[in-house]
Amino acid sequence: MKTLVLNCGSSSIKYKLFDMASGEVMAQGGIERIGLDGSFLKLTGADGEKVILERDIPGHEQGIGFVLEVLTDAKYGCIHSFDEIDAIGHRVVHGGEKFASSMLITDEVIAKVEECSELAQLHNPANLEGIYAVRKIMPRAPQVAVFDTAFHQTMPDYACIYGLPYELYTKYGVRRYGFHGTSHRYVSQRACRILNVPYGAQRIITAHVGNGGSITAIKDGKSIDTTMGLTPVEGLLMGTRCGDVDAGALSFIMNREGLDPDGLSELINKRSGVLGVSGVSSDMREIESACREGHARAILAMKIYAYRIKKYLGAFAAALGGVDILVFTGGVGENQCSLRADVCSDLAFMGIRLDESKNNICGREAVISAPDSKAVVMVVPTDEEYMIASDTREILCGQ
């Protein structure tokens, strides 16, 4: 079964083509700057070399058409025709309370995803554009939606309801939903397979940390709490998002700075976080470099970044009643050993001890805890695209 996975953003499309019989990634790449000058497709060739193909791409329909054209191209492609693609799996950011699992896309499902767009105005409309485009170009191909929020629908009400008037939840759905669910589900399951332990009998904390970041508490295979909320702003300090902040501070800033809701959203989503604190960059590699040069605000940003992660590890250990497995993933979690060391320092009281030599790894699966650590600490690179392809196969084969 060949499955094309699409992740459509407002001006981008990321794609991977899987042969699910073997698990092989047959092709991968992405389109940037849709609807803008200088749009292009970047693909990874069979030899691992990056290739950039420039073209005017006014919309998602033209973008997906370009992807399919490249997949069947004599020079860059790996299939002979669109008909070889058995199914398409889509990343859909917000499923609200309507979806607790991945779904075969029907008119009814599309209508419900459209209803959720108010909760994710930057994401769901773009995800839908990809679905609409595939329907036009490949009308007979089955499509599956895999929701970032679905994994967290097992959170108990006391973990997801805010301390606001309850009517705001019943009228508008204001509650914690959580995100990165596909990643948290993949790495937690993968960790248990590596360790050969039953997934349904573990207390797991997964730390997906990077430019965006969230932490999830997983008990017996179910998410019971997570750091992101109604939107991806809540929780950890991120590249450009502020994370946890006093709501009263936001109304104070709005009044003093003369901001409207859109201005506040731009402040907390695009000008805050590591970038806002450091004044240097949202890229943690550049922050690390600035720290080595003694840049005071970069050092502060790094301390806040690590402290927020450590604080939530403690909170979620309490929620779980202990920790059996801690998993680091995401761009920073997978690649920055110094961050992992800072986060795990002084956590022996929780049964967490790192092995310094084992922790000195980058971007590959590994157990990095010391032999006397009561909790197993691991690095597991995430693979959300494979999870989407796997869900697509399961849904279609189970029909």
Side-chain angles (χ1 to χ4, degrees):
M1 180 178 183
K2 293 183 177 68
T3 302
L4 177 63
V5 173
L6 295 174
N7 179 356
C8 295
S10 58
S11 61
S12 66
I13 301 170
K14 296 178 183 177
Y15 70 90
K16 273 190 181 182
L17 180 64
F18 289 89
D19 182 345
M20 295 306 292
S22 63
E24 175 194 2
V25 177
M26 300 177 67
Q28 60 182 313
I31 290 177
E32 300 290 341
R33 301 185 61 81
I34 293 173
L36 303 170
D37 291 337
S39 51
F40 62 90
L41 184 151
K42 179 189 285 188
L43 63 90
T44 303
D47 57 0
E49 185 179 351
K50 303 294 184 183
V51 178
I52 294 178
L53 305 174
E54 297 181 352
R55 178 183 291 186
D56 182 39
I57 308 171
H60 285 76
E61 184 177 345
Q62 293 82 5
I64 289 174
F66 192 13
V67 168
L68 293 170
E69 180 184 323
V70 169
L71 289 174
T72 55
D73 182 78
K75 182 175 182 181
Y76 300 114
C78 57
I79 56 176
H80 297 293
S81 85
F82 302 169
D83 294 336
E84 293 184 44
I85 299 174
D86 299 295
I88 294 91
H90 294 265
R91 178 196 181 210
V92 179
V93 169
H94 218 306
E97 292 184 323
K98 302 178 187 297
F99 301 105
S101 63
S102 302
M103 298 291 293
L104 180 69
I105 293 174
T106 62
D107 290 341
E108 181 183 4
V109 168
I110 288 175
K112 290 181 178 180
V113 173
E114 289 171 343
E115 291 173 15
C116 293
S117 290
E118 188 176 7
L119 296 171
Q121 296 178 12
L122 297 176
H123 301 96
N124 274 31
N127 304 153
L128 285 162
E129 285 294 326
I131 294 169
Y132 303 148
V134 171
R135 278 195 156 191
K136 283 187 177 182
I137 300 169
M138 302 174 64
R140 294 192 300 274
Q143 302 187 72
V144 169
V146 180
F147 301 91
D148 277 9
T149 52
F151 183 56
H152 302 300
Q153 284 299 297
T154 52
M155 284 191 291
D157 54 4
Y158 56 80
C160 68
I161 298 297
Y162 291 121
L164 296 167
Y166 194 77
E167 292 76 15
L168 295 174
Y169 164 59
T170 57
K171 288 168 67 176
Y172 307 118
V174 177
R175 50 156 283 189
R176 174 176 288 109
Y177 290 98
F179 298 89
H180 294 141
T182 307
S183 175
H184 290 294
R185 180 160 59 103
Y186 173 80
V187 299
S188 57
Q189 291 178 358
R190 178 63 185 159
C192 290
R193 284 196 293 271
I194 293 169
L195 298 174
N196 195 28
V197 296
Y199 184 56
Q202 307 299 317
R203 298 165 299 178
I204 306 170
I205 298 176
T206 49
H208 178 120
V209 289
N211 196 268
S214 64
I215 298 179
T216 293
I218 301 166
K219 188 171 186 178
D220 302 335
K222 295 180 179 180
S223 169
I224 65 165
D225 206 348
T226 192
T227 55
M228 284 181 168
L230 174 73
T231 75
V233 175
E234 188 178 3
L236 305 176
L237 192 76
M238 296 171 243
T240 60
R241 298 183 189 129
C242 60
D244 292 339
V245 65
D246 177 6
L250 300 181
S251 61
F252 176 85
I253 292 166
M254 288 181 75
N255 287 331
R256 289 299 180 96
E257 293 289 315
L259 298 176
D260 61 10
D262 288 340
L264 181 65
S265 178
E266 197 266 344
L267 173 73
I268 63 178
N269 277 287
K270 298 182 179 179
R271 295 198 285 124
S272 297
V274 171
L275 172 64
V277 174
S278 71
V280 173
S281 175
S282 62
D283 189 316
M284 293 299 285
R285 292 165 296 189
E286 295 180 17
I287 294 296
E288 270 201 307
S289 177
C291 288
R292 288 192 292 268
E293 295 171 1
H295 192 288
R297 281 172 52 189
I299 293 169
L300 175 61
M302 184 64 81
K303 286 181 177 179
I304 297 171
Y305 189 91
Y307 176 74
R308 292 272 184 96
I309 299 170
K310 183 192 290 275
K311 184 169 71 170
Y312 270 112
L313 293 186
F316 285 176
L320 290 165
V323 185
D324 299 312
I325 305 169
L326 168 61
V327 184
F328 286 97
T329 193
V332 176
E334 295 168 19
N335 296 298
Q336 198 164 325
C337 58
S338 60
L339 183 278
R340 297 192 298 260
D342 288 344
V343 167
C344 292
S345 63
D346 303 320
L347 292 184
F349 73 96
M350 284 172 48
I352 293 174
R353 291 182 182 274
L354 286 194
D355 182 303
E356 184 177 346
S357 60
K358 292 179 181 178
N359 184 45
N360 191 28
I361 59 102
C362 177
R364 62 179 176 84
E365 294 179 345
V367 172
I368 59 172
S369 46
D372 62 344
S373 180
K374 293 181 180 178
V376 179
V377 185
M378 304 180 68
V379 175
V380 179
T382 193
D383 196 339
E384 294 167 277
E385 293 85 2
Y386 179 80
M387 198 85 245
I388 293 169
S390 180
D391 279 10
T392 301
R393 176 183 58 183
E394 288 182 18
I395 286 173
L396 294 176
C397 292
Q399 288 183 303

